[in-house]
Amino acid sequence: MNARTTILHLSLIDGVGPATIAKIAAVLANDDAAWLDLYTMMVSRLVELFAVTRAIAQKIELGLQNNTVLTAELYLIHTYDISWTTVVDHDYPSLLSHIHTPPAVLYWRGASLDALSAQSLAIVGSRRANHYGQRIINKLVPPLVERNYTIISGGAVGADTMAHRATVNWKGKTIVVLGAGLLRLYPSTNIKLFQDIVVAGGALVSIFPLTTDPVPGNFPARNRVIAGLSQACIVVQAAVKSGAAITATYALEQGRDVFAVPGPIDDELSAGCHALIKEGATLLSDVADIVGYVSDQPVVTPLQQSSSAVPEQYRPAIMPSMASDPFLSFCDTPRSVDELVLLSGTSFTDVQDKLFELQLDGLVAQDFTGMWTAR
């Protein structure tokens, strides 16, 4: 059992997330023999060596004793010819590796993720994007493709679909970051588009085990990866409270630049973009605004920028009607999803769903280290 396979095994244990795996990787690095020793460690040794709670150590010990889920995942990887990498592997995307607590495992189909994301831009927006959004995306994508930018988005209906399809039509490369496993493609209406993307030299990527369903709680983590794989983020048509606005927040916290396209002042799908512009996002009216700027600016990693640098406006105001939610008491200090699973006594999926709900309502925020805190 080598380092990468052990990391895959750990990622399949319910309640053991990237924050815990990062602690283990910091100690064991890429030493295959040390990772193999992990299978024989007792709870007390795990607590001592990796500074995890006893409850998480127990999950690790019991989870590593059960090879069933690992064997099943490796079988699916082989059967469906899935590529995968881990945080300790050389082919893990370098841009993503610079964010705090990057995903422990990435699955993908298509071209090399590291090569595709070397020069990349995210284009995100509303699922309700209309003809105006389509017109803007059709204006932006061709010159970006001509300059060899990879376009990254989330594969959803609306603006995401428009960005991916325009890129394929102009013979460019695009990455879809899914909110489900690669064997649960979502939405199903985009399966043909996803196939076209891979054929055109792009990729489908997921941080979730292969048969993971597209539950709401998956999408904050998906949005964080979209931002992490990109040099900058373009927002086209977004409401103030939306997944696109959340992706923009992650981009800022990861030291990426955010560009927002203005729109009609009486359209709610312009409100999110206008709010971003008011607080310092670059107004994007022509592709030249981004091409010259991004090519001249180094990507700032979170080590160079604290989360306090993110404008307060990017975080939605607290809604008093939600302030009594008991789950918020678990977020009184920064906590990982792993810790919240233990404190709440609920499943990993239930915790992710609750965090997604509270994040949209502006009651919790995930900082650049991947930790969740009540606001």
Side-chain angles (χ1 to χ4, degrees):
M1 198 74 71
N2 57 22
R4 66 190 250 105
T5 305
T6 305
I7 289 175
L8 176 63
H9 197 171
L10 287 168
S11 74
L12 298 171
I13 301 171
D14 188 39
V16 177
T20 297
I21 295 173
K23 289 181 179 181
I24 297 172
V27 176
L28 302 184
N30 207 9
D31 184 341
D32 285 345
W35 283 95
L36 182 60
D37 288 343
L38 196 63
Y39 283 84
T40 61
M41 288 185 188
M42 305 295 287
V43 168
S44 58
R45 180 57 175 159
L46 291 168
V47 171
E48 174 189 9
L49 191 58
F50 304 117
V52 297
T53 66
R54 185 171 183 82
I56 288 180
Q58 289 172 335
K59 286 180 175 289
I60 293 171
E61 183 187 45
L62 291 174
L64 291 181
Q65 289 174 4
N66 178 11
N67 281 326
T68 304
V69 291
L70 175 63
T71 301
E73 193 76 352
L74 289 172
Y75 172 79
L76 292 174
I77 286 171
H78 175 74
T79 301
Y80 292 95
D81 195 24
I82 304 294
S83 300
W84 62 285
T85 188
T86 75
V87 288
V88 300
D89 291 323
H90 71 277
D91 60 347
Y92 192 91
S94 55
L95 269 177
L96 189 62
S97 70
H98 281 88
I99 73 172
H100 279 274
T101 320
V105 177
L106 292 177
Y107 303 83
W108 82 91
R109 279 177 165 164
S112 162
L113 294 183
D114 194 28
L116 284 176
S117 62
Q119 182 169 290
S120 55
L121 299 170
I123 297 180
V124 297
S126 174
R127 284 176 168 78
R128 296 184 290 122
N130 54 32
H131 63 280
Y132 175 74
Q134 182 73 77
R135 182 154 51 90
I136 295 301
I137 286 171
N138 286 347
K139 177 181 178 180
L140 294 175
V141 167
L144 292 174
V145 168
E146 288 175 4
R147 291 166 172 82
N148 295 315
Y149 281 96
T150 296
I151 304 302
I152 301 178
S153 199
V157 297
D160 292 9
T161 293
M162 294 173 184
H164 293 308
R165 176 53 71 188
T167 304
V168 171
N169 288 347
W170 283 92
K171 304 188 184 309
K173 294 178 173 57
T174 181
I175 296 175
V176 180
V177 183
L178 295 162
L182 286 176
L183 300 184
R184 295 290 187 271
L185 294 180
Y186 176 83
S188 59
T189 53
N190 273 350
I191 288 178
K192 176 61 166 61
L193 171 61
F194 297 155
Q195 293 170 341
D196 292 344
I197 286 168
V198 173
V199 170
L204 310 180
V205 59
S206 174
I207 62 173
F208 304 105
L210 294 174
T211 57
T212 302
D213 290 323
V215 297
N218 292 350
F219 292 94
R222 186 278 305 263
N223 294 341
R224 190 167 182 259
V225 172
I226 291 173
L229 282 170
S230 309
Q231 292 176 286
C233 179
I234 302 171
V235 184
V236 179
Q237 289 199 303
V240 172
K241 291 181 181 178
S242 63
I246 290 171
T247 304
T249 300
Y250 286 141
L252 288 164
E253 291 176 340
Q254 294 166 5
R256 292 4 179 201
D257 293 296
V258 172
F259 297 79
V261 177
I265 61 174
D266 60 349
D267 186 348
E268 65 173 316
L269 295 183
S270 302
C273 293
H274 293 170
L276 290 168
I277 292 167
K278 285 179 182 178
E279 294 300 325
T282 301
L283 187 152
L284 182 59
S285 60
D286 187 88
V287 73
D289 297 335
I290 189 168
V291 171
Y293 191 86
V294 171
S295 63
D296 293 338
Q297 299 294 319
V299 172
V300 180
T301 70
L303 296 178
Q304 298 166 277
Q305 175 182 359
S306 71
S307 60
S308 62
V310 179
E312 181 66 20
Q313 195 280 334
Y314 288 106
R315 308 182 186 278
I318 292 177
M319 296 176 64
S321 61
M322 291 292 292
S324 60
D325 193 313
F327 189 88
L328 291 174
S329 64
F330 302 133
C331 303
D332 55 344
T333 60
R335 298 188 189 279
S336 68
V337 175
D338 307 4
E339 293 172 309
L340 291 172
V341 168
L342 294 172
L343 289 170
S344 65
T346 56
S347 71
F348 198 81
T349 298
D350 287 343
V351 167
Q352 286 185 307
D353 288 348
K354 173 57 72 173
L355 289 171
F356 181 63
E357 172 191 328
L358 293 175
Q359 186 183 36
L360 283 177
D361 286 318
L363 293 171
V364 297
Q366 187 181 33
D367 67 20
F368 66 95
T369 69
M371 308 295 272
W372 292 90
T373 314
R375 301 196 61 246

